[in-house]
Amino acid sequence: LTLKNISFEKLLELLPSKQFCRISKRELIAMSCVNYYSYDEIVTKILANGKPKTFTIGNNYKNNFLSMF
């Protein structure tokens, strides 16, 4: 989803903090779509071309992501 006319920080303020997590400088993820994760990768329940969509967890955001589980 791409949004215009709203800052990333404002979006983070508007979303429920227990349901969304920032995983990189430019990405956040709904915790409900996380299927599983490894050291630096999140595999989601969302399919793209028949395969689960994956995201990389940024080093600066890893501890916050892990604390949400």
Side-chain angles (χ1 to χ4, degrees):
L1 176 63
T2 302
L3 298 175
K4 294 183 178 185
N5 300 328
I6 187 170
S7 70
F8 201 75
E9 286 70 28
K10 183 66 174 174
L11 180 61
L12 286 170
E13 288 175 20
L14 295 172
L15 293 171
S17 62
K18 294 183 187 219
Q19 296 174 20
F20 291 86
C21 181
R22 191 170 190 170
I23 58 170
S24 71
K25 185 176 179 180
R26 295 184 180 155
E27 295 177 314
L28 36 105
I29 194 165
M31 297 304 290
S32 62
C33 77
V34 175
N35 195 18
Y36 61 91
Y37 62 91
S38 64
Y39 175 74
D40 63 350
E41 185 177 65
I42 299 168
V43 178
T44 68
K45 299 172 187 174
I46 301 166
L47 298 179
N49 298 324
K51 296 181 181 181
K53 187 147 178 69
T54 61
F55 296 89
T56 300
I57 308 169
N59 287 332
N60 294 337
Y61 304 94
K62 196 173 297 184
N63 287 338
N64 186 45
F65 175 78
L66 295 175
S67 72
M68 296 188 73
F69 282 99

